[in-house]
Amino acid sequence: MTKGSRMVSLVKYLAGPGRANEHTQQRVISSSASIVSVEQGEHLSAESALRLGYEMDIPKAVFGQDHKGKHVFHVSLSLAADEGKLSDETWASIAGDFVKEMGFEGVENASPCRWVAIHHGGSKAGNDHIHIAVSMIAEDGRKWSQNNDQPRSQTAAVELEKKYGLRVARGEHAERGYHPKEMVSARAQGLPELARETLQRCVRAASTASVDEAEFVRRLRGTGVLIRPRFAKDSTSIVEGFSVALKPKDPTEKAVWFGGGRLARDLTLPKLRAGWDGSPEAGEEARAEWDAVTRGKRPASVGREAVEPTAEQWEAYTAEVGSLYEKIKSVPLDDPGMWAQVARETSGVFAAWSLRTEAVPGPLAETSKALSRTAQLRRFPTKAKPAPLPSAKGAGMLMMQTSVGPSSRAGEALLLAQLRNTMRAVHDMHKATGRLSDAQRIRTAAMDRLAAVKAGLEQSPTMSSSAPVALAEKPKSSSRWLDAAQEKDPEIEEVKRLIGLNRPEAKSVRASATETPVAAREKKDQGKSHGRSR
């Protein structure tokens, strides 16, 4: 929102080619009743734009001597690039509602102000948007009240976003934006996505899969990204934050670093620490790992990330995700902190799964991104922590391991069903609170993005001929839009049965959480010498 004193220049710019010839199909989509020089939908030429500018400024020409200072109000209403495009009719309705909400017209016993809404194509970043220009001098010479106009415009935008089922940009949830130069850089390097999106997925995966900060550092280093700590002032041991970067393909180029908070609002180190072991022992181990990073050394120790998950862990963590769904159905809708925690962990599981299985970002990465918005609150609650919920962090560990252990496609399919159930709960929360765009984004991820993943897992032999008819058939759905998981207890028993069929010797070659990779390898070799295979 800006204000100025040159109406004709503003209209000529909006109808012109733009600073980088980005304006296309410049046209009026709506205007006040007093505008008669152009019609709705009419293409704006240089000549018609000039006429329109002078017509908009008639109240200023007539009553200008009574009003000093700026009289031109200009605002742009924009969608996120991934929200697609709206029709001119919808934009016209939105523009009309906005000027009424702002009091430019439709006010009882007050003359309206002149306004026009112009569409000239998407922005450089691909955002569909319109511009609204208004004369703040009304038809009777009255000056429009600018009192609290900034918060009023934000409130009006939020109400319109809810009314038209759009993403609520100024609501409780907010993603970090990006600079157009980031898109240019990604295209120049042939990257499938922005560098910040890759880095955010790596940080989400590593943080969700970890139980303490030291493990997080080791896991994040294991993804291949660059990482460096940010120390407190005048300290070389107290870590307050971190930054990450992709390794440049050209050694002569400098890495572009992003702090955790620049990637996403919920990925600052203090917020991540809230979900980890905060004991003094864990703090010492974390300092050792950060010191290894600073010195360019190998990790100071080896932890869970080097150990193969067991059949018992697959069973337990799958069950925990199932119990999470049962618990979150009772979480109040007005508890954004709890819903953000659920979305953060679920997003992290899909991020970990994506890193392990997708050579290029695919449906798992897109699902992680869809959930990540719910994890990012504009204001995180400062009240005391509520009672803890069951966690999806164990599932994140399973999905991020280089060697996933005694799993099967059937086991992963059942875990996917549990995760989709959790997504359904997040969808229902958004829908119940009127955030229809957020709800639709989660629904699209669960139905469309994950359909290929679900189908691929069900094509496994263990999900067809060797599986019982009840498992091979499509499970009954408890939702109109989502194939829900089966009842909790039968699912867990089925995981046990399938793991037993596919990995009958899993227990005898299991590595404990305290074993080193060398010890685990020795046990594998012993198993192979007796005819066992992994």
Side-chain angles (χ1 to χ4, degrees):
M1 185 183 75
T2 59
K3 297 168 188 173
S5 56
R6 297 190 297 174
M7 178 69 76
V8 175
S9 296
L10 172 61
V11 175
K12 286 174 63 178
Y13 167 74
L14 296 177
R19 294 187 176 89
N21 294 318
E22 72 273 19
H23 295 173
T24 60
Q25 299 180 334
Q26 300 91 323
R27 60 199 182 277
V28 171
I29 62 168
S30 187
S31 65
S32 57
S34 54
I35 299 299
V36 296
S37 64
V38 294
E39 297 182 358
Q40 184 169 326
E42 179 181 339
H43 174 73
L44 284 173
S45 64
E47 182 180 352
S48 61
L50 187 62
R51 290 200 309 270
L52 175 60
Y54 283 123
E55 187 177 22
M56 287 284 294
D57 239 1
I58 288 177
K60 168 67 173 176
V62 175
F63 302 105
Q65 65 276 10
D66 299 328
H67 303 287
K68 304 300 181 182
K70 299 176 180 179
H71 73 288
V72 178
F73 178 96
H74 171 220
V75 67
S76 174
L77 304 181
S78 176
L79 303 181
D82 59 1
E83 286 190 277
K85 298 180 179 180
L86 299 180
S87 66
D88 280 5
E89 291 75 17
T90 301
W91 273 125
S93 181
I94 291 174
D97 287 345
F98 180 82
V99 295
K100 289 177 182 176
E101 289 287 339
M102 293 297 292
F104 290 118
E105 69 176 25
V107 179
E108 189 176 358
N109 299 323
S111 294
C113 297
R114 297 194 175 201
W115 62 273
V116 62
I118 296 174
H119 196 300
H120 55 202
S123 67
K124 292 180 181 179
N127 308 78
D128 190 27
H129 66 288
I130 62 170
H131 292 264
I132 300 177
V134 186
S135 169
M136 292 191 290
I137 301 177
E139 299 289 357
D140 61 357
R142 172 186 59 89
K143 187 73 177 289
W144 173 74
S145 173
Q146 303 179 49
N147 186 41
N148 291 325
D149 55 352
Q150 184 70 34
R152 282 161 55 196
S153 67
Q154 292 177 353
T155 301
V158 169
E159 292 303 316
L160 293 176
E161 286 161 346
K162 291 180 179 178
K163 177 179 179 180
Y164 291 90
L166 305 173
R167 182 179 301 170
V168 182
R170 294 294 302 181
E172 290 178 337
H173 306 96
E175 295 174 291
R176 293 299 190 194
Y178 65 88
H179 196 282
K181 289 183 179 179
E182 294 181 45
M183 180 67 74
V184 173
S185 176
R187 290 173 178 170
Q189 298 178 62
L191 300 177
E193 62 182 354
L194 298 180
R196 67 164 57 242
E197 294 175 337
T198 303
L199 294 168
Q200 181 182 157
R201 191 161 59 254
C202 290
V203 174
R204 286 197 182 282
S207 61
T208 300
S210 302
V211 295
D212 56 42
E213 190 171 337
E215 182 182 349
F216 165 71
V217 176
R218 293 192 298 267
R219 285 191 183 277
L220 193 52
R221 295 181 73 181
T223 65
V225 304
L226 303 177
I227 177 174
R228 66 185 183 189
R230 187 183 78 248
F231 294 105
K233 186 177 180 180
D234 300 327
S235 173
T236 57
S237 60
I238 301 176
V239 179
E240 289 187 335
F242 69 95
S243 298
V244 289
L246 295 181
K247 291 181 179 178
K249 294 182 179 180
D250 185 346
T252 62
E253 295 181 355
K254 292 184 178 180
V256 179
W257 294 89
F258 294 85
R262 279 189 61 200
L263 295 176
R265 295 174 184 268
D266 62 317
L267 296 183
T268 64
L269 189 56
K271 289 184 174 62
L272 294 180
R273 282 172 171 165
W276 294 330
D277 179 3
S279 66
E281 295 79 10
E284 288 298 325
E285 292 177 3
R287 277 188 285 274
E289 295 299 342
W290 285 121
D291 183 66
V293 170
T294 304
R295 296 173 181 273
K297 302 294 184 180
R298 292 182 178 182
S301 60
V302 176
R304 298 189 317 156
E305 68 281 354
V307 179
E308 197 173 77
T310 67
E312 288 82 357
Q313 287 175 317
W314 271 93
E315 174 187 332
Y317 293 145
T318 300
E320 189 168 12
V321 174
S323 62
L324 171 63
Y325 168 64
E326 294 301 323
K327 290 289 186 181
I328 60 176
K329 289 190 293 186
S330 61
V331 173
L333 297 177
D334 59 354
D335 189 348
M338 187 61 73
W339 285 106
Q341 175 185 325
V342 172
R344 182 183 309 113
E345 292 183 0
T346 310
S347 174
V349 175
F350 284 110
W353 201 346
S354 171
L355 291 181
R356 182 169 61 82
T357 62
E358 293 180 330
V360 295
L364 295 169
E366 293 172 6
T367 301
S368 175
K369 183 179 179 180
L371 285 161
S372 68
R373 177 176 168 82
T374 305
Q376 301 180 61
L377 298 178
R378 198 175 296 278
R379 289 188 180 90
F380 285 86
T382 56
K383 63 181 181 181
K385 292 183 180 179
L389 287 172
S391 176
K393 290 175 72 65
M397 182 276 286
L398 296 177
M399 291 304 178
M400 197 175 187
Q401 298 301 93
T402 303
S403 177
V404 296
S407 67
S408 66
R409 287 193 175 186
E412 290 183 350
L414 294 174
L415 180 56
L416 175 63
Q418 299 280 39
L419 291 168
R420 293 175 86 199
N421 253 354
T422 303
M423 293 177 66
R424 184 180 68 186
V426 176
H427 162 274
D428 292 347
M429 177 274 295
H430 282 307
K431 187 174 181 180
T433 53
R435 291 187 286 268
L436 301 183
S437 178
D438 289 329
Q440 179 60 36
R441 185 178 64 258
I442 301 298
R443 182 180 188 273
T444 299
M447 287 190 67
D448 301 339
R449 303 291 186 267
L450 294 179
V453 178
K454 182 173 180 286
L457 293 172
E458 290 177 344
Q459 289 173 2
S460 168
T462 60
M463 293 293 286
S464 54
S465 59
S466 65
V469 175
L471 195 61
E473 292 176 350
K474 192 173 183 178
K476 293 182 179 180
S477 175
S478 58
S479 169
R480 294 181 180 179
W481 62 273
L482 183 63
D483 288 336
Q486 298 177 27
E487 293 299 323
K488 181 175 60 174
D489 291 343
E491 262 195 3
I492 297 171
E493 293 305 313
E494 191 59 32
V495 172
K496 292 179 181 179
R497 190 190 70 79
L498 290 172
I499 290 175
L501 287 175
N502 294 299
R503 309 286 185 180
E505 301 296 336
K507 290 185 179 180
S508 62
V509 295
R510 187 175 72 247
S512 72
T514 58
E515 287 177 328
T516 65
V518 174
R521 262 198 317 273
E522 289 175 351
K523 285 196 174 184
K524 292 181 188 178
D525 293 341
Q526 292 172 6
K528 289 180 181 179
S529 66
H530 288 82
R532 298 167 182 155
S533 65
R534 296 295 294 173

